[in-house]
């Protein structure tokens, strides 16, 4: 095992060998899967089920040596509850457990604590309960400073009635309810789609919703839908912010709380789809970024901008992958007041074919393509746009992980190893999952973009060297310079040194 670790480090890219290091722990024997709990103060935590179906936690040191392993018992019937994850708060770990009580037709959400040695506390708290009709039950989010936790669920109303959102905001000890509200959302159920619920450091709750306009509300030159951010706090009347742009459709949007008591609402715009004989494939191109910053203290929009971005698409798009829209994955705040936006091309295409004999066949095509990094200064001016070609279509291990450290953006992803030298869309080969593909042809890749927009791409390690296959979707950025990689039954840590 020591030889293998050394091999990985020696075969890593030379440009960053001095400040990036990858270490793997030994395999975990489990009949299920391993999940990452997180990391803090140079220790890393995982959980898995043992042969007796018990929840087991593990602690690793900075060199990924196993230091301790404990069965985590919450004083609940293990056969009836579902473990849903954990947050690190202060010097403790708060765990979340969900239970469905059939006799009562109710769902319960519990919280319980362990210390940093995985010793379980003697109390388990009921932090939410709802009927089994509630959707999104057990969903939660934590504030950027880890002092507030919001849990919520939603009851769907009749088509012309509003939906009801039930939410509670707790302190980090999960003992004090800072905000407890049942709110009827100001939109008819048939016109409403909840997209996201976030909480800031002050305990304000933000609901992002997609709203479909009624026929009499639709105007030529305007989209048939818009997005609304609704802010709830201790005030009786919520604040509302609408996002709707002339001659544009909002292709993607998200709300991201920041550490500096701001919330950013951002996404990409595309040309308005004006019907069957409209602008055709051009409506699939999203090359304009919008961003609105909400001051969490005053609940006012402190800035709002649109940025036309050059270089995200070929001058003359031709292929299907040229028309994949962008989605914001991360926003990082720079020390100088500027920001860094990390975006990735993403779309889902559903194709259904019908047989003359009455049957049908539906196929799903998932595209995760080019990566873009956009540097914006404190004056809301675009400084640089860096784009790296990537083409993942129905790939086994798609998408990206991103972090920002010491003025440099780091992006981890999997791709064909031969694409390490590709510099353009034309040179980039398709990464896909099929009977003719092999994971041994892939590699774990690193893209870096500095403050000037200069971009580099390197191989962290080639899959030809080992059977370890990190899963992007189940890996986690645990700090600005640490990424825990999950390879199903093996955990690794990618460290960026100072």
């Amino acid at each position: 095992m020591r030889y293998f670790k050394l091999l990985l480090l020696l075969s890593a890219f030379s440009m960053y060998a001095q400040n990036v290091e990858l270490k793997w722990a030994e395999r975990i024997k489990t009949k299920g899967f391993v999940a990452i709990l997180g990391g803090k103060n140079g220790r890393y935590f995982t959980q898995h089920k043992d042969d007796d179906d018990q929840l087991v936690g593990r602690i690793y040191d900075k060199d990924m040596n196993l230091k301790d392993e404990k069965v985590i018992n919450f004083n609940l019937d293990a056969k009836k509850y579902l473990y849903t994850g954990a947050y690190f708060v202060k010097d403790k770990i708060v765990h979340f457990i969900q239970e469905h009580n059939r006799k009562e037709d109710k769902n319960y959400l519990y919280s319980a604590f362990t210390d940093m040695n995985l010793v379980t506390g003697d109390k388990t708290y009921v932090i939410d309960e709802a009927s089994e009709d509630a959707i999104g039950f057990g969903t939660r989010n934590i504030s950027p400073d880890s002092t507030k936790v919001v849990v919520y669920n939603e009851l769907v109303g009749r088509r012309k009635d509003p939906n009801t959102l039930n939410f509670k905001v707790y302190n980090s000890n999960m003992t004090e309810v800072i905000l407890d509200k049942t709110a009827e959302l100001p939109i008819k159920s048939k016109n409403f789609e909840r997209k996201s619920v976030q909480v800031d450091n002050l305990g304000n709750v933000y609901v992002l919703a997609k709203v479909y306009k009624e026929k009499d509300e639709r105007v030529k030159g305007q989209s048939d839908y818009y997005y609304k951010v609704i802010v709830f706090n201790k005030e009786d009347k919520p604040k509302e912010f609408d996002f709707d742009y002339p001659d544009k459709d909002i292709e993607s949007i998200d709300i991201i709380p920041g550490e500096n008591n701001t919330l950013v609402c951002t996404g990409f715009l595309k040309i308005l789809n004006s019907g069957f004989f409209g602008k055709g494939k051009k409506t699939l191109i999203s090359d304009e970024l919008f961003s609105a910053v909400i001051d969490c203290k005053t609940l006012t929009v402190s800035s709002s901008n649109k940025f036309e971005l050059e270089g995200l698409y070929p001058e003359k798009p031709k292929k299907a992958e040229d028309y994949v829209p962008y989605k914001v994955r991360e926003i990082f705040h720079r020390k100088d007041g500027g920001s860094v936006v990390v975006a990735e091309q993403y779309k889902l295409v559903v194709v259904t074919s019908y047989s003359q004999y009455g049957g049908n066949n539906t196929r799903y095509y998932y595209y995760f393509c080019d990566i873009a990094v956009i540097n914006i200064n404190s004056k809301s001016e675009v400084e640089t746009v860096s784009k790296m070609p990537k083409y993942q279509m129905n790939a086994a291990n798609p998408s990206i992980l991103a972090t920002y450290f010491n003025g440099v953006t780091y992006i981890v992803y999997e791709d064909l190893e031969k694409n390490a030298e590709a510099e353009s869309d034309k040179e980039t080969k398709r990464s896909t999952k099929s009977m003719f593909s092999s994971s041994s042809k892939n590699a774990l890749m690193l893209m870096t973009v500095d403050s000037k927009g200069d971009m580099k791409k390197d191989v962290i390690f080639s899959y030809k060297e080992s059977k370890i296959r990190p899963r992007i979707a189940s890996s986690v950025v645990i700090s600005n310079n640490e990424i825990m990689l999950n390879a199903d039954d093996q955990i690794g840590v990618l460290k960026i040194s100072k």
Side-chain angles (χ1 to χ4, degrees), residues 73-74 93-97 110-114 120-121 123-125:
N73 189 347
F74 300 116
I93 306 173
V94 55
H95 304 264
F96 297 91
I97 311 103
Y110 303 93
S111 68
F113 284 87
T114 61
T120 309
K123 292 184 179 180
T124 300
Y125 304 93

Side-chain angles (χ1 to χ4, degrees), residues 168-226:
K168 297 177 183 178
V169 177
Y170 286 88
N171 64 355
S172 58
N173 294 325
M174 306 304 293
T175 55
E176 178 186 352
V177 179
I178 299 170
L179 187 64
D180 186 352
K181 274 201 172 184
T182 297
E184 286 192 346
L185 301 172
I187 309 155
K188 293 179 181 179
S189 179
K190 68 184 181 73
N191 297 337
F192 171 85
E193 283 185 23
R194 170 174 51 83
K195 294 297 183 180
S196 177
V197 176
Q198 299 286 348
V199 61
D200 65 20
N201 299 337
L202 306 176
N204 299 313
V205 176
Y206 302 81
V207 179
L208 174 65
K210 185 176 184 178
V211 183
Y212 296 92
K213 299 176 183 177
E214 298 277 9
K215 287 185 179 181
D216 58 358
E217 296 176 319
R218 297 174 186 174
V219 178
K220 187 177 181 180
Q222 290 277 356
S223 176
D224 290 344
Y225 61 87
Y226 65 98

